[in-house]
Amino acid sequence: MMKWMHLAGLILGFAACNPSGPKSNENEFTDMSPKTFNYLALGDSYTIGEGVPEEDRYPNQLVFRLNQETDNQWSKAEIIAKTGWTVDELEEGINQAAPTGEPYDLVTLLIGVNNQYRGRSVDEYRVEFEQMLRRAIGFAGNLPNHVVVLSIPDWGVTPFAINRGTDQEKVKQEINAFNDTKKAICNKFGVKFIDITEDYREIGNLPEMVAPDNLHPSGKVYERWTSKLFDHVKNQY
């Protein structure tokens, strides 16, 4: 009898000290709110969307589709790009912009057409592009599968190029050499490479596929690039 009374006293004493019962661990429950993914787009005129409305830029089209057609939520794309930039100028642009979202869930990279346009060598591009790709992977938290590289479009097919008497075959061969180099570097690092060049060669001279300057793509072209990106990205997250 005394044993049971002693046990009851211990229980009552515990309850008196803990009127609400055992205290929960404050860190027991984690934040269950959905993650918002972030995206950094690096490039030149093709990434900033020279001559088209902001909503037609392919990074913005991609975010819109991801938010509309997947269960994930993406914040507005952070774009570091400027018309005319070469790889080294993109490097400097990144330094000045000092992006703060690292690690990014997605990083896209499209750069090199101005290296070709200005007559710079493929050997120089090989060194600079590999350095830039390493940096892009770093922005993605050192996850190569969170980086996507797009091939360089062939501007030689555009009405601008045709009207100025551009040697289209020369441009084609040079663009191919730059893209082959770019693709090989992507394979080396396990980064997804998406070819947009061959499709662009088929459509890049059509009136509805060019911006008012007859050189840069219209929103319809960027929509096609967006579809290629979307088909890849939607299965990665």
Side-chain angles (χ1 to χ4, degrees), residues 42-229:
L42 306 173
D44 48 37
S45 59
Y46 295 125
T47 300
I48 200 62
E50 176 70 26
V52 302
E54 184 175 341
E55 62 269 20
D56 282 349
R57 298 170 179 172
Y58 75 79
N60 294 339
Q61 289 196 49
L62 178 60
V63 167
F64 179 81
R65 285 197 61 181
L66 288 169
N67 284 333
Q68 292 293 313
E69 301 179 40
T70 73
D71 294 330
N72 296 323
Q73 183 66 33
W74 290 75
S75 57
K76 182 178 180 180
E78 183 175 350
I79 301 175
I80 302 178
K82 188 174 181 179
T83 298
W85 270 358
T86 53
V87 181
D88 60 312
E89 289 167 341
L90 172 59
E91 180 80 22
E92 180 59 30
I94 293 172
N95 293 338
Q96 292 182 6
T100 59
E102 187 177 344
Y104 290 88
D105 298 292
L106 173 65
V107 179
T108 60
L109 178 60
L110 171 48
I111 192 71
V113 68
N114 295 296
N115 289 69
Q116 181 276 328
Y117 186 81
R118 297 189 199 175
R120 296 188 179 181
S121 72
V122 174
D123 289 336
E124 178 188 68
Y125 180 73
R126 180 180 294 107
V127 174
E128 292 182 346
F129 180 78
E130 179 168 328
Q131 179 180 348
M132 178 57 63
L133 185 60
R134 288 177 182 270
R135 192 165 191 186
I137 294 171
F139 282 131
N142 295 316
L143 298 174
N145 61 321
H146 285 198
V147 179
V148 181
V149 170
L150 287 81
S151 67
I152 302 169
D154 186 346
W155 64 272
V157 304
T158 64
F160 169 86
I162 295 170
N163 292 338
R164 71 193 296 243
T166 300
D167 186 338
Q168 292 177 288
E169 185 60 28
K170 180 176 182 291
V171 172
K172 178 180 179 179
Q173 295 304 320
E174 290 178 355
I175 292 290
N176 285 347
F178 275 77
N179 278 331
D180 288 345
T181 298
K182 174 185 277 194
K183 184 175 182 179
I185 295 170
C186 287
N187 290 339
K188 173 181 175 181
F189 287 92
V191 169
K192 176 68 175 179
F193 178 86
I194 294 179
D195 183 1
I196 57 175
T197 308
E198 290 308 314
D199 179 63
Y200 188 69
R201 282 174 172 149
E202 297 294 324
I203 64 171
N205 65 339
L206 301 177
E208 68 272 20
M209 297 299 179
V210 292
D213 63 6
N214 283 326
L215 172 60
H216 290 95
S218 71
K220 291 182 180 297
V221 175
Y222 292 132
E223 184 178 350
R224 296 165 79 102
W225 300 1
T226 298
S227 292
K228 288 176 177 285
L229 282 166

Side-chain angles (χ1 to χ4, degrees), residues 12-28:
L12 289 172
F14 178 81
C17 293
N18 300 273
S20 299
K23 187 176 181 179
S24 298
N25 186 334
E26 292 180 359
N27 297 321
E28 181 178 354

